[in-house]
Amino acid sequence: MRNLDKFIINGNKPLRGEVTVSGAKNAVVAIIPATILVNGVCRIENVPQVSDVIIQLEILQQMGAQVRSMNPTTVEIDCRHMRNIRTPEDLMRKMRASYYLIGTLLGRYHKAEVAMPGGCNFGGVRPIDQHVKGFEALGAEVSVKNGFVYAQAPQGLRGANIYLDVVSVGATMNIMLAATLAEGQTVIENAAKEPHIVDLANFLNAMGAEIMGAGTDVIKIRGVKELHGGTYSVIPDQIEAGTYMAAVMATGGSVLVRNVIPKHLECITAKLIEMGAQVEEMDDAVRVSRTGPLRRINIKTLPYPGFPTDMQPQLAAALCLAEGTSIITEGVWDNRYRYVEELRRMGAKIQVDGKVAIIEGVSELTGAKVRSCDLRAGAAMVIAGLAAKGVTEVEEIAYIERGYDNIVEKLQGMGADIRRVTVSEEDAVPMAR
Ligand code: EPZ
C-alpha cells in the first residue's frame, strides 16, 4: 500500500527554544558507500536517521556487507566479505546518491553495474556526464544501457588529470572515490568545494587515503594500496540548520541551533541578517532571532561558498512574507521552482521566468493542502505552513523524510503545532487540482 502520510500544521506561532542539528545527509550518503573501499570495520558517528541512509545501509547489506547499529546515530560497517557486487535495482532507483556506488565498486572491484539513480527530480534532467568523463579518464569503459550504468576497468584504474566542465558535487566525490585506490596520482580541477566534499576526503584520509586540497578547486589524490578501518564522525548538516533558521525568519521568534559549524553557515546567515535577523554565533551553535519586520532580499544560488541551491525553496517560503519584492536567481539547477504552485495555493505571489523567481511579499499566508515536490520543496511547505494562518496539510512527506531527521519532533521542541498522521490508501481523499 502506498504511503500517504502527511503533516498537519496549525500555523502562525513563533518558534522558540532550541534544536540540535543532525549529521549531514549529503556527506553521509557518500561516506556509507565509501566503506566499500575499506579493508576493515568503519565506525561512523553522527549519522542522521533519514530514509536515504536507511536505504543505503540496506543496499550494502543486500550486497553482503555487515551493518550494525550501535546506537541511533552510530553504525559499524564491514564490507570485507561483500560477495555480491550487483546492486539491488529497486533500492538504487529510490535515491540520487546511489551513483556513489559506481565510483566505489569501480575503485575496489574495477567493475560496476548500477541502476541509473533516482531521487529528487526538479523537473529537468540530472546528468552524470562529468562522473563518466572522470571514470573514463581513470581508464574505465563506461556505457549506459537500459537504465543501467556499466563500468569496467579490467587493467585497474590509473591516476589522471581531470578538468570538470561544470562544478559538480557528485562528480567531484565520485571521482575522488574511484581514484582513492587507483595507481598513481589523480588531480581534479574545477572541483566543487562544499563542506561535504571536505568531509568525504577527511573520512577517506582517516582510513589511510592520501587526498589533499579538498575544499579548494584543485584536489589531488595519491592512490594508496589499501584503506584500513577506523572511527569517523560526520559533520553537522548545514542545510538542516539553515532550514530551521529560515523557519524562524518566517514565523518570528528566537531559536538556539546547536551542533553546527558556523563557518559553513556564513552564506546563509549573511542573507538572514539582510532579511532582518539577529544572528549570534557561538563555537558550535548559532542563535537566530527575528522580532522586527521581514525585509526583502535578492538571492543567487551558486556552488559553495555561494548561497546553496538546497536552501533556495526554504528562503523563498520565508520571503513570501517579506516587505517588498525579492528576486531569486537559481544558478545551479535548470528548474527548481515546482514548489511555487504550491505556495500560491497558500496566497503567495510569485512569478517564475526561467531561472528567476520574483516574490512579491504578502501580509499573510493562509493554510491549505499542499504537497512536497522534492526534499527541499517539502521543507519549504513546512516553513510556509508554520507561518501561515490556519491549518496546512503537507502531503508526500516521504520526500521530506529522505533528508530531515525527526523533523516533527524537532519542530515540536521549538513550540510548533505540527503532527504526522498516517493515512491508508482507502482513507485518502484525492486532492482536487
Ligand atoms: C548534490 O547533487 C546534492 N545531492 C544536491 O542536494 C544539491 O542540490 C547539489 O549537489 C548542488 O549543491 C547530494 O549530495 C546527494 P551536482 P548533485 O552534480 O551532486 C550539472 C538535496 O536537496 N551536472 O553538483 O547531483 C547539474 O545538472 C539535493 O539534498 C552536469 O551537467 O549535483 C547541475 O546543474 C538535491 N553533469 C550542476 O551540475 C554532471 O555530470 C550541479 O550538480 C553532473 C552535474
Side-chain angles (χ1 to χ4, degrees):
M1 197 172 281
R2 261 188 327 136
N3 184 326
L4 298 166
D5 300 354
K6 54 188 175 185
F7 294 157
I8 312 252
I9 307 169
N10 208 337
N12 200 23
K13 293 180 178 59
L15 294 178
R16 298 200 187 282
E18 57 179 64
V19 62
T20 301
V21 170
S22 301
K25 179 209 75 136
N26 286 345
V28 81
V29 293
I31 289 173
I32 291 172
T35 61
I36 291 178
L37 298 169
V38 178
N39 193 13
V41 179
C42 299
R43 186 184 172 95
I44 309 171
E45 299 171 347
N46 203 28
V47 175
Q49 289 178 287
V50 296
S51 62
D52 269 11
V53 164
I54 295 164
I55 293 170
Q56 262 192 338
L57 293 174
E58 177 65 32
I59 290 173
L60 286 197
Q61 267 176 319
Q62 288 197 19
M63 293 167 71
Q66 281 174 12
V67 176
R68 287 208 304 160
S69 282
M70 311 310 287
N71 62 49
T73 58
T74 303
V75 66
E76 276 190 3
I77 306 175
D78 182 356
C79 294
R80 279 177 295 184
H81 307 294
M82 193 174 252
R83 53 186 187 279
N84 177 10
I85 65 161
R86 273 193 74 101
T87 54
E89 186 185 345
D90 51 332
L91 293 173
M92 295 292 286
R93 293 202 194 280
K94 284 192 178 162
M95 63 183 300
R96 177 78 185 159
S98 51
Y99 54 37
Y100 294 129
L101 267 300
I102 312 173
T104 50
L105 290 174
L106 252 186
R108 174 159 165 198
Y109 299 103
H110 306 152
K111 190 171 167 22
E113 210 181 290
V114 170
M116 276 294 267
C120 283
N121 172 7
F122 309 134
V125 184
R126 291 182 68 177
I128 59 161
D129 57 295
Q130 297 302 306
H131 305 230
V132 172
K133 172 179 158 169
F135 300 143
E136 287 176 342
L138 295 172
E141 281 170 28
V142 186
S143 58
V144 181
K145 268 185 280 184
N146 306 326
F148 277 80
V149 181
Y150 298 91
Q152 57 172 340
Q155 315 299 322
L157 297 173
R158 278 176 185 277
N161 279 15
I162 299 157
Y163 186 93
L164 295 180
D165 303 323
V166 287
V167 179
S168 159
V169 171
T172 303
M173 305 237 248
N174 228 343
I175 296 168
M176 204 194 285
L177 288 165
T180 293
L181 299 178
E183 207 183 304
Q185 177 170 280
T186 297
V187 180
I188 309 174
E189 288 185 73
N190 201 26
K193 299 183 278 217
E194 270 67 4
H196 30 291
I197 288 170
V198 180
D199 208 39
L200 175 64
N202 286 344
F203 165 80
L204 290 166
N205 285 343
M207 306 297 147
E210 290 190 24
I211 302 175
M212 290 137 291
T216 75
D217 53 11
V218 181
I219 301 180
K220 288 193 181 138
I221 305 136
R222 221 176 277 140
V224 294
K225 291 237 168 328
E226 192 174 272
L227 298 184
H228 53 74
T231 298
Y232 190 78
S233 183
V234 178
I235 50 165
D237 197 309
Q238 163 210 22
I239 304 299
E240 189 198 4
T243 300
Y244 292 125
M245 291 161 82
V248 176
M249 295 310 289
T251 62
S254 177
V255 168
L256 181 66
V257 186
R258 290 188 183 275
N259 188 32
V260 299
I261 299 175
K263 172 100 191 124
H264 293 169
L265 294 171
E266 271 171 3
C267 39
I268 300 169
T269 39
K271 283 292 161 192
L272 300 189
I273 290 167
E274 256 186 76
M275 287 166 72
Q278 295 85 50
V279 181
E280 190 192 338
E281 287 183 5
M282 288 145 252
D283 284 349
D284 60 356
V286 289
R287 173 172 289 283
V288 55
S289 319
R290 180 179 71 82
T291 43
L294 253 186
R295 293 199 288 263
R296 58 151 307 275
I297 56 163
N298 294 339
I299 302 172
K300 176 158 188 179
T301 70
L302 288 169
Y304 191 83
F307 187 86
T309 172
D310 291 346
M311 277 300 301
Q312 183 258 97
Q314 302 90 309
L315 264 213
L319 288 171
C320 289
L321 292 162
E323 288 176 352
T325 301
S326 303
I327 300 174
I328 298 183
T329 309
E330 174 54 54
V332 176
W333 296 107
D334 284 342
N335 182 341
R336 206 175 185 173
Y337 290 121
R338 290 198 307 164
Y339 65 87
V340 161
E341 194 191 318
E342 303 301 309
L343 287 178
R344 284 196 192 121
R345 298 166 76 86
M346 302 177 71
K349 284 199 183 153
I350 310 178
Q351 296 303 319
V352 175
D353 185 4
K355 293 189 161 203
V356 177
I358 299 167
I359 306 176
E360 203 185 309
V362 292
S363 59
E364 63 176 44
L365 293 175
T366 47
K369 265 194 185 191
V370 290
R371 69 187 175 99
S372 310
C373 310
D374 61 63
L375 167 59
R376 309 303 170 188
M381 294 308 122
V382 171
I383 291 174
L386 292 169
K389 285 205 170 132
V391 176
T392 296
E393 289 188 21
V394 183
E395 304 198 325
E396 299 188 36
I397 58 172
Y399 280 115
I400 303 175
E401 292 175 341
R402 286 187 40 211
Y404 287 93
D405 184 351
N406 280 309
I407 186 168
V408 168
E409 293 74 8
K410 288 188 186 189
L411 285 168
Q412 285 169 344
M414 291 179 266
D417 184 346
I418 177 171
R419 65 200 161 90
R420 186 187 194 289
V421 293
T422 308
V423 186
S424 74
E425 208 155 356
E426 289 147 29
D427 299 338
V429 181
M431 198 194 293
R433 296 213 153 253

